[in-house]
Amino acid sequence: MDMHPKVTFIFKKGMYAQEKEAKIDTSGITDSEVIIDEYHEFKVRFECKDPLSVLEIEHYEGIDLLIVKPGDEINLMKGGNTEDMFVPGHYPFKVTTRTNIYEGFYTIKSKHFSNDSLLNLRIYLEKMLRGLSYDLMRQRSGTFTNTMNLSPSIVQVYNHIADEYRKIKLNLDLISKDPITDITKKYMERLGSKRPDSKSLRWLSQKGISKNTNQLLPTIFNEKHTVLTVNTLENQWILFIVNYILRSLRQLEASFTSNILNLEEKIIQKKEDIKKIKQEMASMRTYGYTKISKQYESNINRSRAKIETLLKEIEKSRLIKQEIRYMISTFSKFEDLRWMKEVSNQFPQKQTIRMLKDTRYAIVLRFYKELKKMKKKQASTKEKGIPFKRTWLLFEYYSLGLVIQSLQELGYVWIEGWLADRESPLLHLGTLASDTVLKFEKDDHYIEVAYDLEIETPNNDTTYSRYVDSNGKRPDIRITVLNKNNEIYNEQSAIVIDSKCRSHHYLFHENPNIFTDVMEQLNGYRRLEYYSSSLNRLIFPVSEVLCLYPKQSGAKPLTKRLMGENGIFIQVEPTDPSLDIKPFGYDLLHERLKLFTSRVVEQGKVGTR
């Protein structure tokens, strides 16, 4: 019998459906040579004459692999731009038969980026955000700084457990009071006989002799009885997860202990430096060189300030270590519950429907999966901290990151919003919520950077300043210069930046008299209204609109296609992360932001001209 399986992908190519049989063999993980375009719906059909064979493959619902049986045709992804779409990359699958295992992968191809460009985008974005996070942390006293020896992923694991601790403890408490049980039969010693069988009679003639004083009229029997048992798959999962959490916490405790020791060694070194400087000062005084003592004092003060910073970091680490020990103590109590002793201490092979339907168990299971995924990223050199999000969303993050870098290069200090809002900004490395507002400070003004922020509809309230719009406009990035009173700096103090993952011929037409839908959209941003409570009237503050789009052939790096100087298309692309060079297009973007900020400041505040 031919047991060789067939895995066939069905997808659209243009207007027509196309089928492509995956290339698979037993030599290792094989490139199936199946390539599917981003955003396209596709299915898989599994065929094999071995009725016990299975195909394991990812699908758009859930995080567990889908089990496909011979003869099944399953929809793996819905078409379009959805939250659960497959983003560009390689996706593995595995076929298991009674005689062989076949492993392969298929490819989702990006619509606007080459494989190298997309890889650079993801790696560069993670590197950039990680660097921004460390810069922010260095600005704070008593929080994690670059002197700590902890990797960002370790901090993320701790934050995840700490954030979910109360919820997990509550559900474990609920489980401990009423665990899922099964009805089972087992042999038990009891008074009287009800269901004697060969095993119970054999016990009576052997071990039962010592249990009964009268062998002719025995009273104690070992027979099978129906009882409730807590040794279920669901409770095996709970025991396994509790053990997993405890191992994770103990690893975290060891990491923070190691970090404290490293910081203490640095303090010792700094104290040694101070001692040496004082010895040199004493010897210099002997020869009358007192004029340079101020320099020595300055060096001592810097070392003392560094010691103070290290001491604060040690205190922070010790507090976290205490919290970890407290959590270890709490979860250890669940491990020591009497009924938990009856549960088999083994890795459960499968999840049950009963477990997924029970909210208490489902919450604990979901927490375990998230923690496991996070720790896997920590241990893996291939996985990155940036989750695999949709390409256009990564491009938006990337565009905002370039803006942040440019403003910091112009001397602005990031003081509020997104990564700057949390004690541990590393928690937000992989996500950025809509309606996020960032604030940067310099001299006598602020810069407000609004990401995907909803604009208010017009109303008659004159007590506060704000943007207003009745047409639902929502630019990706809106930059506004404000004074210290949070009022707009002057009447031309705003710029809009939109990111578009599109080919250039969809962005602008070769004929300057033809406007595309994107150009119409960008043109609309110029008409954004702002109500100024200080002026008591509406103004149009947007002086320029920039559109960032991926680098591509056939278009100039910088194109002025919209309202002359006031509408500009700029190509950007991340460079190879291993090379210390700026991204393609960054200089053009930076120059526009530099011109914008300098012009606004030169024009002066409202009412000063």
Side-chain angles (χ1 to χ4, degrees):
M1 187 189 336
D2 181 13
M3 294 287 188
H4 190 79
K6 286 179 63 177
V7 178
T8 305
F9 289 83
I10 304 105
F11 52 91
K12 278 190 175 181
K13 198 73 173 178
M15 296 294 294
Y16 304 99
Q18 181 173 324
E19 294 188 3
K20 173 75 173 179
E21 182 180 342
K23 177 184 175 183
I24 55 175
D25 57 46
T26 57
S27 62
I29 300 178
T30 307
D31 182 355
S32 69
E33 299 181 1
V34 173
I35 300 175
I36 300 168
D37 290 334
E38 188 178 16
Y39 308 121
H40 283 193
E41 177 182 5
F42 66 97
K43 304 176 182 178
V44 67
R45 183 171 62 243
F46 179 49
E47 300 169 273
C48 187
K49 292 185 178 179
D50 179 359
L52 299 179
S53 62
V54 293
L55 164 65
E56 298 175 72
I57 194 167
E58 286 189 57
H59 62 132
Y60 67 89
E61 291 182 337
I63 61 176
D64 295 319
L65 293 178
L66 183 69
I67 305 299
V68 185
K69 297 180 179 179
D72 288 348
E73 184 174 296
I74 304 294
N75 191 11
L76 293 183
M77 191 186 86
K78 297 177 180 179
N81 187 6
T82 62
E83 285 293 333
D84 47 20
M85 65 177 282
F86 284 10
V87 299
H90 301 304
Y91 291 86
F93 61 89
K94 181 170 75 171
V95 175
T96 305
T97 69
R98 280 181 286 186
T99 56
N100 286 308
I101 294 178
Y102 305 83
E103 292 184 279
F105 66 88
Y106 63 94
T107 301
I108 303 293
K109 181 183 176 184
S110 173
K111 193 172 182 181
H112 303 291
F113 289 90
S114 67
N115 291 338
D116 289 342
S117 296
L118 188 60
L119 179 63
N120 286 345
L121 174 64
R122 287 170 173 158
I123 297 176
Y124 188 93
L125 183 58
E126 182 186 63
K127 180 181 177 183
M128 178 179 66
L129 295 185
R130 193 178 299 274
L132 292 173
S133 298
Y134 280 129
D135 287 342
L136 287 166
M137 289 189 289
R138 283 196 292 269
Q139 293 173 13
R140 301 186 182 91
S141 174
T143 58
F144 296 113
T145 72
N146 62 341
T147 58
M148 293 194 76
N149 221 17
L150 294 171
S151 71
S153 50
I154 289 176
V155 179
Q156 283 181 295
V157 169
Y158 162 73
N159 284 331
H160 179 63
I161 296 177
D163 288 346
E164 298 293 318
Y165 165 75
R166 294 186 181 277
K167 182 168 67 175
I168 300 306
K169 181 181 180 297
L170 172 63
N171 284 280
L172 287 174
D173 280 330
L174 294 173
I175 291 170
S176 65
K177 293 174 183 176
D178 185 23
I180 291 176
T181 56
D182 276 343
I183 296 175
T184 188
K185 293 181 180 293
K186 71 175 185 177
Y187 286 90
M188 300 174 61
E189 294 180 11
R190 287 189 178 179
L191 293 173
S193 175
K194 289 186 177 181
R195 299 180 182 85
D197 56 18
S198 58
K199 185 176 180 179
S200 61
L201 293 174
R202 190 164 54 250
W203 178 89
L204 191 62
S205 63
Q206 297 173 1
K207 295 182 180 180
I209 294 175
S210 61
K211 300 284 185 178
N212 292 281
T213 55
N214 189 339
Q215 304 300 319
L216 298 176
L217 295 173
T219 56
I220 300 176
F221 300 84
N222 185 37
E223 295 180 1
K224 188 179 289 186
H225 297 275
T226 300
V227 294
L228 290 176
T229 179
V230 292
N231 189 24
T232 63
L233 272 174
E234 296 83 5
N235 294 326
Q236 288 174 18
W237 266 109
I238 293 301
L239 178 59
F240 173 80
I241 291 171
V242 168
N243 288 332
Y244 186 87
I245 294 172
L246 284 169
R247 287 197 304 272
S248 301
L249 287 169
R250 289 179 180 122
Q251 289 168 358
L252 285 174
E253 184 183 17
S255 296
F256 279 95
T257 299
S258 175
N259 182 67
I260 291 170
L261 293 174
N262 289 331
L263 294 174
E264 288 174 342
E265 288 178 3
K266 291 180 179 180
I267 289 175
I268 292 172
Q269 184 59 52
K270 286 296 175 184
K271 287 181 177 179
E272 285 294 322
D273 293 343
I274 292 174
K275 184 178 178 180
K276 289 178 181 178
I277 292 172
K278 287 183 175 180
Q279 289 173 349
E280 290 180 15
M281 288 178 67
S283 65
M284 295 297 283
R285 287 195 188 98
T286 304
Y287 295 100
Y289 294 101
T290 56
K291 291 184 178 180
I292 62 171
S293 62
K294 290 184 179 180
Q295 181 64 44
Y296 282 113
E297 288 292 345
S298 176
N299 293 339
I300 289 174
N301 291 335
R302 278 199 298 271
S303 293
R304 284 173 176 166
K306 186 65 175 178
I307 289 173
E308 286 299 315
T309 302
L310 293 171
L311 285 172
K312 289 178 181 179
E313 291 177 23
I314 288 175
E315 181 60 23
K316 183 71 176 179
S317 290
R318 283 177 175 162
L319 289 173
I320 291 176
K321 189 177 172 181
Q322 288 178 6
E323 293 176 9
I324 292 172
R325 284 180 174 173
Y326 178 79
M327 289 190 284
I328 289 174
S329 174
T330 301
F331 288 114
S332 295
K333 292 176 183 177
F334 291 109
E335 192 182 33
D336 294 330
L337 288 172
R338 183 184 60 80
W339 67 266
M340 274 283 201
K341 301 294 184 182
E342 301 176 30
V343 179
S344 301
N345 190 6
Q346 62 186 33
F347 178 74
Q349 295 300 315
K350 61 179 180 179
Q351 300 156 21
T352 64
I353 298 297
R354 189 166 56 174
M355 183 176 194
L356 298 177
K357 286 185 176 180
D358 191 313
T359 305
R360 305 168 302 167
Y361 287 78
I363 288 174
V364 176
L365 178 65
R366 185 162 57 248
F367 167 79
Y368 157 74
K369 289 182 177 180
E370 291 168 353
L371 180 60
K372 183 181 178 182
K373 187 175 181 181
M374 193 173 291
K375 291 188 70 179
K376 183 179 179 182
K377 287 181 179 180
Q378 170 190 337
S380 172
T381 57
K382 294 181 181 179
E383 288 280 345
K384 296 297 175 184
I386 295 294
F388 273 27
K389 294 182 177 292
R390 290 169 286 175
T391 309
W392 65 265
L393 192 56
L394 288 179
F395 192 65
E396 281 187 6
Y397 290 7
Y398 176 67
S399 299
L400 180 61
L402 294 181
V403 170
I404 293 170
Q405 285 188 317
S406 178
L407 291 177
Q408 290 181 324
E409 194 173 318
L410 291 171
Y412 288 89
V413 179
W414 189 2
I415 58 173
E416 287 182 20
W418 190 26
L419 302 176
D421 275 345
R422 297 292 296 262
E423 185 178 62
S424 181
L426 292 164
L427 187 66
H428 293 294
L429 276 180
T431 184
L432 173 61
S434 297
D435 294 316
T436 296
V437 178
L438 288 62
K439 199 170 184 180
F440 299 79
E441 183 182 36
K442 183 180 179 182
D443 300 332
D444 66 340
H445 62 281
Y446 297 103
I447 283 185
E448 181 184 86
V449 179
Y451 169 72
D452 195 23
L453 184 66
E454 186 174 355
I455 298 175
E456 290 188 32
T457 54
N459 57 63
N460 296 323
D461 193 337
T462 61
T463 60
Y464 67 104
S465 301
R466 75 277 186 190
Y467 282 91
V468 292
D469 180 70
S470 56
N471 297 317
K473 296 184 182 72
R474 193 168 182 151
D476 293 335
I477 302 169
R478 192 183 69 229
I479 301 173
T480 310
V481 182
L482 307 170
N483 61 31
K484 291 292 185 178
N485 296 322
N486 284 323
E487 287 286 337
I488 199 159
Y489 203 79
N490 59 47
E491 295 189 30
Q492 288 283 282
S493 296
I495 186 173
V496 165
I497 300 177
D498 236 36
S499 66
K500 298 293 184 186
C501 263
R502 295 198 191 183
S503 300
H504 66 85
H505 53 269
Y506 290 117
L507 298 174
F508 47 82
H509 199 274
E510 291 301 320
N511 187 336
N513 298 318
I514 298 177
F515 269 36
T516 63
D517 60 335
V518 172
M519 294 172 75
E520 293 285 358
Q521 179 190 26
L522 299 180
N523 192 27
Y525 293 149
R526 280 294 314 277
R527 297 191 293 271
L528 274 179
E529 295 178 325
Y530 183 91
Y531 174 77
S532 171
S533 60
S534 61
L535 296 174
N536 193 26
R537 60 182 173 87
L538 288 170
I539 60 175
F540 297 91
V542 178
S543 61
E544 187 170 77
V545 179
L546 306 180
C547 179
L548 306 185
Y549 69 103
K551 179 186 177 184
Q552 50 200 261
S553 60
K556 297 178 181 178
L558 185 145
T559 306
K560 299 174 183 177
R561 289 276 179 168
L562 180 65
M563 299 165 291
E565 292 289 330
N566 297 320
I568 297 173
F569 293 88
I570 302 175
Q571 293 186 26
V572 294
E573 183 181 56
T575 50
D576 186 337
S578 64
L579 303 176
D580 189 21
I581 56 176
K582 292 180 179 178
F584 180 86
Y586 174 80
D587 288 338
L588 295 174
L589 172 64
H590 180 68
E591 184 62 27
R592 302 309 301 183
L593 290 176
K594 182 179 179 181
L595 289 172
F596 162 71
T597 53
S598 60
R599 177 184 53 75
V600 171
V601 174
E602 285 172 7
Q603 287 178 351
K605 299 178 187 177
V606 170
T608 61
R609 288 173 291 171

